[in-house]
Amino acid sequence: MRGLGWGGMILPLVVAQASPGQEPAADGMPVLSPVTWERLLNSDDEPHNWLMYHGALDGQRFSRLDQINRENVGRLELKWAHQIRQLDRNQTTPLVVDGVMFITESPSNVTAVDAATGRAYWRYEHPLPDGIRLCCGRNNRGVAILGETLYMSTNDAHLVAIDARSGSLLWDTEVADHTKGYSKTAAPLVVGDTVVTGIAGGEFGIRGFIDGYDAATGERRWRTYTVPGPGEPGNETWAGDSWRTGGAPTWLTGVYDPELDLIYWGAGNPAPDWNGDVRLGDNLYSSSVLALDRETGKIVWHFQFTPHDVWDWDAIQVPVLADVELNGELRKAMLWANRNAFYYLLDRGSGQFLFGEPFALQTWANGLDEDGRPILRENVFPTTEGTRVAPIAGGATNWWSPAYSPRTGFLYVNSFDAEGIYYQRDDEYEEGSIFLGGGHRMPLAADHYKSAIRAIEATTGEIRWEFPITPRTRSGVLATAGGLVWSASVDGYFFALDEETGEPLWRMSLGAAPHASPMSYAVGGEQRIVVAMGNVVFVFGLAEE
Amino acid sequence: MLLLVVFATGVAAEEVENPYSSAIDVRMGQRQFQSKCTSCHGVDATGGEEADGPDLTTGSFRHSTTDAGLFRVIRDGIEGTSMRGLRRAKDQEIWQLVTYLRTLSGAVDPASLPGSMGAGRVAFERLDCGRCHMVQGRGGRLGPDLSRVGDRRGPEELAEALTEPSAEVAPRWWTVRVTRADGTVVEGLRMGEDTFNLRIMDGEERLLSFAKTSLRSVERILESTMPTEPLSGEERDDLVAYLASLRGDDS
């Protein structure tokens, strides 16, 4: 058998198997054992598992497995595939725990399969009522695990707990009323014994929030609104009663810093999306990142990327936590390539803006001021006739995970240099109905524009290389310690790039568009690379020599 | 209320006529479309950028040929896709959406146009348009199939296609000039381009595929290959009338 190394070292196989709290079975294959908070905190020590949506609490989507590397990636072959029964967008990042893979499926189902063979153990189907309000598809991006319990969001805005060994429902908590336009699509985040989770529905004029639930009982411990109510700081940034329908949804998974004991979460666009006249003001905390106290959920600091957003530029990206050297000083930083086309470096202890640079085509701001606030250009607001602005409403990037490699210090981001035409319109708010206040379209076909995976140097914002994609990508990125960066494109290719140069080293045409981010794990001492494309989860590994 | 019974039993739904088809219904349908459908189908209904809803302005629908069928698609959705039904909406609202969708294709009665269909057909043959265009299975492959162009395009668009063909050329009809590593050059229509490969149809209608890394250069020409010899006003009107009459049947 091959040795399995990580962090650049080649270690004997036995080490890879000896993760905390886990006895291998007689045949050397792992056995599912409880995922304690200790294990989640130290997920770096067991890189053969992928224990949470982002891989680790820091949101880096970096795998320490290096068996598949720049030299041998040409030997990659398909090991098995899992066909998802329900046709819809397939946004899953599976988890792998001790040889079992948990794959979420549209609309609100999850399957457990053997990570070695792809054959099923069980499947949980969540019953859904009619008339669910979703802006953008029946999505279900992933689960979280603590102990032997999986936590999953459902499209009818519930949070469910499912037994990881049998697929039995343990509890089912209504997070919000789906008939009012609330829904849930993102993997929750386990922090200690709390399940932290957000909400979707920004296109329906909901009032966004982030919740913490007791992992054992499903009882709510705290709720932090992303749109402050009367008397709360920030409420004055909403004209009149506009805060009531302010949006600022939280439809992606946040991250956690154990040392600072802070949870970080992004908030989406204010509602209505394109008509800012009915909600004058900065509209806190829409299009912002929030730092929350773990125990109470209280807001410790916030940073707003796009004040008074009238373009639909949700700050729904992964807050990537990394310790970087800036001007000779070690900084606990947060790296953020935003939908608004700027890359930001923040101090994650204080929320202080360190610097920001565009990483993609933008025509809306003459840069950022010293506090990180955009310096707006003239005539960039939507109008009834339409205003041309870059990036598009879908953004210079979107929710698809970026990856950060501590080996290179680069943040790998999928990016799109395109412009959109933004329209403003008067819309009446009606509970449970779409509330957009305008519209958006691209004046030309996607083929006219440029899309690329870009390597942004974290400490300077410089683009160190780019890998152009035709016509574009809607995939997240994974970086692995074998020196590889993995992503996919809407033309149906899955590919591996050299982390230092962006040179394509391997590719395969899988024939359908991705809507998810790749991940990596190992089973039986062999590294696997996973990507969801079309309605299939594909699992790759090295062919025998 | 007879209508509802007919639907409930699914009998002869094809014969049911849309009871809400006035100009006001078009406006009501448009309002609904703006609030419920644009997130996937785009504000101008030509297809969504982010959410994969198809273009609804082509005048033909894959899932139905009748108004009653469209009603069902909108009410019930399309199983296994993100197109969900409007189960809670009133019948009237759904009919108004159907009415609105029917206005989007720009199709008109060709007899109401100034030109002559018959003369247009003759001009089409004389000018050898069929060298590049198929109609009802006959003709060339170096331009779009025009068998249903009357469904897809209104008279103004058809006239523009003839007089200003390069105004807006879809990526499928761009020309690419490919220079191989040995310096030889091939040109053709861009049938497909992705991150790693390029597929074209050359002037002899051959299908060719290239790995981009094996090429010295690839140049995109965004102009139309339609000939630009000027047409007389009459010829243009006749051609527009003929093209507007092309609806996929043999008439």
Side-chain angles (χ1 to χ4, degrees):
Chain A
M1 267 197 245
R2 256 173 247 122
L4 182 68
W6 57 90
M9 294 176 295
I10 302 296
L11 295 172
L13 182 66
V14 63
V15 179
Q17 296 292 356
S19 67
Q22 181 195 328
E23 286 287 318
D27 62 1
M29 296 307 270
V31 168
L32 184 71
S33 60
V35 179
T36 58
W37 174 232
E38 282 301 301
R39 279 182 75 184
L40 293 175
L41 280 170
N42 300 305
S43 60
D44 281 3
D45 297 345
E46 40 182 316
H48 54 290
N49 285 328
W50 190 269
L51 296 178
M52 53 201 117
Y53 181 78
H54 302 306
L57 291 167
D58 56 22
Q60 291 183 359
R61 201 167 278 262
F62 174 73
S63 167
R64 284 170 169 69
L65 297 173
D66 65 359
Q67 188 182 63
I68 298 169
N69 58 41
R70 285 181 277 201
E71 281 67 51
N72 64 17
V73 66
R75 294 212 328 266
L76 219 57
E77 65 173 17
L78 184 68
K79 293 295 182 185
W80 53 266
H82 172 79
Q83 300 274 349
I84 291 188
R85 292 190 206 169
Q86 189 84 33
L87 299 174
D88 213 313
R89 256 172 295 166
N90 175 4
Q91 302 195 333
T92 189
T93 294
L95 299 194
V96 170
V97 184
D98 307 335
V100 182
M101 180 183 288
F102 302 100
I103 301 170
T104 53
E105 303 182 353
S106 172
S108 298
N109 304 329
V110 56
T111 301
V113 304
D114 173 10
T117 62
R119 308 312 299 186
Y121 284 112
W122 55 256
R123 184 158 190 268
Y124 170 78
E125 286 193 38
H126 187 74
L128 288 173
D130 277 349
I132 293 172
R133 318 288 206 277
L134 298 166
C135 73
C136 317
R138 295 174 296 182
N139 305 323
N140 184 9
R141 304 199 184 93
V143 288
I145 189 165
L146 181 67
E148 301 190 350
T149 306
L150 302 177
Y151 302 93
M152 183 171 77
S153 293
T154 64
N155 284 178
D156 55 348
H158 286 223
L159 177 69
V160 294
I162 300 158
D163 180 58
R165 287 178 197 270
S166 67
S168 294
L169 181 70
L170 301 177
W171 51 255
D172 177 344
T173 296
E174 181 184 62
V175 170
D177 181 352
H178 72 85
T179 67
K180 298 191 169 144
Y182 291 89
S183 60
K184 283 178 62 54
T185 53
L189 176 75
V190 166
V191 181
D193 60 356
T194 303
V195 184
V196 184
T197 187
I199 195 77
E203 273 63 51
F204 293 84
I206 61 149
R207 183 179 174 207
F209 55 78
I210 303 161
D211 278 356
Y213 292 86
D214 182 324
T217 64
E219 247 159 89
R220 194 163 91 204
R221 290 189 166 142
W222 48 261
R223 166 164 294 180
T224 299
Y225 281 101
T226 51
V227 180
E232 290 174 312
N235 184 258
E236 73 287 353
T237 65
W238 295 86
D241 265 353
S242 60
W243 62 272
R244 288 182 192 278
T245 54
T250 48
W251 49 274
L252 194 61
T253 310
V255 305
Y256 173 69
D257 182 325
E259 256 176 71
L260 298 168
D261 203 16
L262 290 176
I263 297 165
Y264 302 99
W265 216 279
N269 61 281
D273 299 43
W274 293 297
N275 187 345
D277 295 349
V278 302
R279 48 169 173 81
L280 293 176
D282 276 359
N283 308 138
L284 288 173
Y285 302 99
S286 67
S287 306
S288 305
V289 56
L290 295 171
L292 307 179
D293 177 73
R294 176 179 55 83
E295 276 181 50
T296 61
K298 291 239 159 64
I299 298 173
V300 176
W301 60 256
H302 74 272
F303 178 83
Q304 191 172 39
F305 300 97
T306 314
H308 190 67
D309 175 6
V310 287
W311 305 276
D312 191 17
W313 294 334
D314 299 64
I316 299 289
Q317 291 83 39
V318 182
V320 177
L321 310 185
D323 297 341
V324 299
E325 205 181 294
L326 193 68
N327 309 325
E329 211 186 318
L330 197 68
R331 299 299 290 246
K332 289 190 164 304
M334 176 183 293
L335 287 46
W336 198 300
N338 193 277
R339 194 151 151 173
N340 71 13
F342 283 88
Y343 164 76
Y344 298 79
L345 194 72
L346 304 179
D347 180 308
R348 69 174 183 267
S350 62
Q352 188 201 340
F353 168 75
L354 300 175
F355 75 87
E357 291 289 336
F359 68 92
L361 177 73
Q362 68 84 17
T363 60
W364 68 286
N366 289 320
L368 307 173
D369 73 12
E370 59 187 20
D371 298 320
R373 198 181 167 89
I375 304 160
L376 289 187
R377 293 196 190 170
E378 305 268 300
N379 305 322
V380 291
F381 290 149
T383 55
T384 43
E385 309 78 54
T387 308
R388 204 178 264 246
V389 172
I392 58 167
T397 190
N398 202 324
W399 61 272
W400 312 293
S401 299
Y404 174 77
S405 169
R407 291 162 47 96
T408 57
F410 298 163
L411 183 70
Y412 304 97
V413 178
N414 99 31
S415 55
F416 192 36
D417 297 335
E419 55 182 4
I421 301 184
Y422 292 83
Y423 299 90
Q424 187 195 33
R425 195 179 57 219
D426 289 328
D427 263 358
E428 282 297 309
Y429 171 75
E430 196 189 317
E431 192 171 86
S433 285
I434 283 266
F435 186 45
L436 300 175
H440 166 270
R441 68 183 177 89
M442 265 163 62
L444 299 170
D447 303 59
H448 284 274
Y449 302 107
K450 183 168 178 192
S451 185
I453 303 292
R454 297 203 165 116
I456 305 175
E457 187 170 51
T459 50
T460 62
E462 242 172 75
I463 312 277
R464 296 295 296 272
W465 54 255
E466 68 170 20
F467 175 71
I469 287 170
T470 309
R472 67 171 299 190
T473 171
R474 285 188 199 143
S475 162
V477 188
L478 165 75
T480 58
L484 295 166
V485 170
W486 306 81
S487 193
S489 44
V490 292
D491 55 39
Y493 276 101
F494 180 48
F495 48 82
L497 309 176
D498 185 310
E499 65 178 6
E500 273 170 294
T501 63
E503 191 195 332
L505 299 177
W506 174 87
R507 65 173 179 266
M508 188 171 286
S509 175
L510 297 175
H515 288 284
S517 309
M519 57 76 93
S520 184
Y521 70 98
V523 66
E526 295 186 15
Q527 186 180 358
R528 297 282 180 261
I529 304 282
V530 180
V531 70
M533 288 175 73
N535 281 288
V536 183
V537 176
F538 294 96
V539 179
F540 293 92
L542 292 176
E544 293 301 321
E545 263 176 292
Chain B
M1 287 298 96
L2 182 67
L3 266 180
L4 288 177
V5 177
V6 171
F7 271 112
T9 55
V11 177
E14 279 15 61
E15 269 101 83
V16 174
E17 282 199 18
N18 184 343
Y20 298 96
S21 54
S22 70
I24 293 167
D25 294 314
V26 173
R27 272 214 302 286
M28 297 303 290
Q30 176 174 22
R31 283 198 56 159
Q32 292 211 58
F33 190 86
Q34 295 291 343
S35 70
K36 299 197 177 95
C37 322
T38 50
S39 56
C40 296
H41 292 287
V43 268
D44 52 2
T46 57
E49 156 58 15
E50 289 303 323
D52 306 329
D55 185 348
L56 299 176
T57 68
T58 62
S60 52
F61 297 94
R62 283 189 302 123
H63 289 276
S64 168
T65 53
T66 64
D67 280 8
L70 279 181
F71 179 101
R72 241 179 286 124
V73 166
I74 297 170
R75 184 192 54 188
D76 301 341
I78 300 168
E79 182 68 30
T81 76
S82 54
M83 174 66 201
R84 278 156 299 140
L86 288 185
R87 290 188 171 278
R88 289 152 37 105
K90 296 197 199 78
D91 282 9
Q92 178 183 354
E93 293 168 345
I94 298 178
W95 282 124
Q96 288 169 333
L97 277 164
V98 172
T99 301
Y100 170 66
L101 291 185
R102 285 295 185 198
T103 64
L104 294 175
S105 73
V108 294
D109 177 2
S112 69
L113 296 173
S116 146
M117 283 181 268
R121 184 201 293 261
V122 172
F124 193 85
E125 266 158 38
R126 180 167 37 82
L127 296 166
D128 202 16
C129 310
R131 178 158 65 90
C132 298
H133 292 290
M134 274 205 201
V135 176
Q136 252 65 268
R138 287 185 41 232
R141 303 179 180 90
L142 299 176
D145 187 320
L146 299 179
S147 305
R148 305 192 72 106
V149 76
D151 265 348
R152 203 162 60 225
R153 305 274 178 231
E156 294 83 23
E157 286 176 293
L158 289 170
E160 192 189 272
L162 300 180
T163 53
E164 279 185 78
S166 293
E168 201 181 324
V169 179
R172 163 67 178 84
W173 301 105
W174 292 348
T175 297
V176 281
R177 186 175 295 139
V178 170
T179 309
R180 297 194 184 90
D182 64 5
T184 54
V185 175
V186 207
E187 235 180 61
L189 295 164
R190 183 178 181 264
M191 297 192 70
E193 182 180 352
D194 58 55
T195 309
F196 299 99
N197 296 292
L198 179 62
R199 291 163 302 287
I200 67 172
M201 177 183 282
D202 73 1
E204 269 85 67
E205 303 189 350
R206 286 181 303 187
L207 300 181
L208 305 174
S209 171
F210 305 93
K212 284 185 178 175
T213 46
S214 72
L215 301 174
R216 188 183 294 171
S217 70
V218 175
E219 191 191 334
R220 286 180 179 179
I221 301 156
L222 307 193
E223 255 109 78
S224 175
T225 50
M226 278 267 286
T228 46
E229 299 104 73
L231 301 165
S232 73
E234 200 182 332
E235 267 174 330
R236 188 199 55 210
D237 287 351
D238 292 345
L239 280 168
V240 167
Y242 168 62
L243 293 166
S245 75
L246 297 175
R247 300 282 175 79
D249 37 31
D250 284 317
S251 59

